[in-house]
Amino acid sequence: PGLYLQVVVVTDYADGELYQVLEDDGSLPEEQVRAIAVQLVSALHYLHSHRILHRDMKPQNILVGKAGVVKLCDFG
């Protein structure tokens, strides 16, 4: 019989975009802004240390997951 290949992509689930959170709520508490900023700086440091540039940092490309975990997306 022929060879059967199945590809499965598994990704994290994000509750939404930072842009949507800002649009819905209008603002965020300072503690939450600080937590997001720390995660973004850490992510950018990691990327830059591996010679990777994001080049499109904006709220639409920042996903917010459970417990405030932030993920960068859309690397073009």
Side-chain angles (χ1 to χ4, degrees):
L3 179 64
Y4 178 71
L5 176 66
Q6 182 177 7
V7 177
V8 177
V9 177
V10 178
T11 63
D12 287 336
Y13 174 77
D15 292 331
E17 298 174 350
L18 180 58
Y19 175 79
Q20 192 64 46
V21 173
L22 290 171
E23 191 172 87
D24 292 347
D25 298 341
S27 65
L28 295 173
E30 184 177 337
E31 288 180 19
Q32 190 174 3
V33 172
R34 186 178 297 120
I36 290 170
V38 165
Q39 291 178 70
L40 289 175
V41 168
S42 176
L44 289 173
H45 179 266
Y46 177 84
L47 291 170
H48 292 175
S49 69
H50 288 83
R51 300 179 55 118
I52 300 170
L53 299 178
H54 190 280
R55 296 179 48 159
D56 195 17
M57 289 291 298
K58 60 185 177 184
Q60 292 89 335
N61 292 338
I62 300 169
L63 303 178
V64 181
K66 294 185 181 194
V69 174
V70 173
K71 308 272 183 175
L72 285 177
C73 67
D74 194 5
F75 283 78

